[in-house]
Amino acid sequence: MSSLNDKIIVGGLFCDLNKACDCVNYDILPLKIKFYSIVGVVHKLMESYLRNSRVTISACNKINGYFSKWEEVQHGITQGAVLGPLLFLVYINDLSKGVSDKSSPILFADDTSFIIVNPNKDKFKFNTNDIFSKINGFAVVC
């Protein structure tokens, strides 16, 4: 509130990273898991959980049913799985480090906010655009 009283420019970027769960890269996530000292058998188990998942799609009615063939999952975290939120947070946890010098990042599950405060209008615009570019560049294209 003091920033507003002092007429300092305050802004926010509010991101819902819901679909970002679908883009978690299976080559990057195991490295991040290892960075947090999850090694050995537990690391192998988590990597196996990621790499050995298979899915099928079914569409059924009362008379007929259609099932696609089983396919290996190439990327993404299963939403609704017990490990899903934890693995997603491990994956995006370092996102805030890349922009913490220009904003106050707030991470909560798949909702991420960046509060930007700067008295200089041009620096405020630059910081906002820079943060937006870094967030955009952080996402792995599926």
Side-chain angles (χ1 to χ4, degrees):
M1 195 66 170
S2 64
S3 295
L4 292 174
N5 289 338
D6 295 338
K7 298 186 181 188
I8 296 174
I9 303 169
V10 178
L13 292 173
F14 304 96
C15 309
D16 182 2
L17 302 176
N18 197 358
K19 292 295 180 187
C21 290
D22 299 336
C23 295
V24 172
N25 184 303
Y26 288 173
D27 294 324
I28 295 171
L29 184 57
L31 298 172
K32 291 186 177 196
I33 291 170
K34 193 176 278 189
F35 174 80
Y36 289 108
S37 300
I38 300 171
V39 294
V41 174
V42 176
H43 186 269
K44 286 180 183 178
L45 182 65
M46 292 185 107
E47 196 163 7
S48 173
Y49 170 78
L50 292 171
R51 296 200 185 271
N52 296 323
S53 297
R54 299 176 66 78
V55 296
T56 186
I57 297 172
S58 65
C60 301
N61 60 28
K62 292 182 179 179
I63 300 170
N64 295 323
Y66 171 79
F67 299 91
S68 68
K69 60 182 187 168
W70 285 92
E71 297 285 338
E72 188 174 335
V73 178
Q74 300 295 319
H75 46 73
I77 296 295
T78 306
Q79 294 179 2
V82 175
L83 285 176
L86 173 67
L87 292 173
F88 182 70
L89 285 175
V90 166
Y91 189 73
I92 67 164
N93 193 44
D94 56 351
L95 172 64
S96 62
K97 291 179 185 175
V99 295
S100 61
D101 60 328
K102 296 176 179 67
S103 70
S104 298
I106 302 163
L107 300 176
F108 181 76
D110 62 352
D111 294 317
T112 302
S113 303
F114 301 91
I115 308 303
I116 304 135
V117 178
N118 200 303
N120 182 304
K121 184 178 179 181
D122 292 330
K123 285 185 180 178
F124 176 82
K125 285 181 182 179
F126 175 80
N127 287 348
T128 303
N129 287 330
D130 190 47
I131 291 166
F132 188 72
S133 294
K134 286 183 179 179
I135 294 168
N136 231 4
F138 189 86
V140 177
V141 178
C142 297

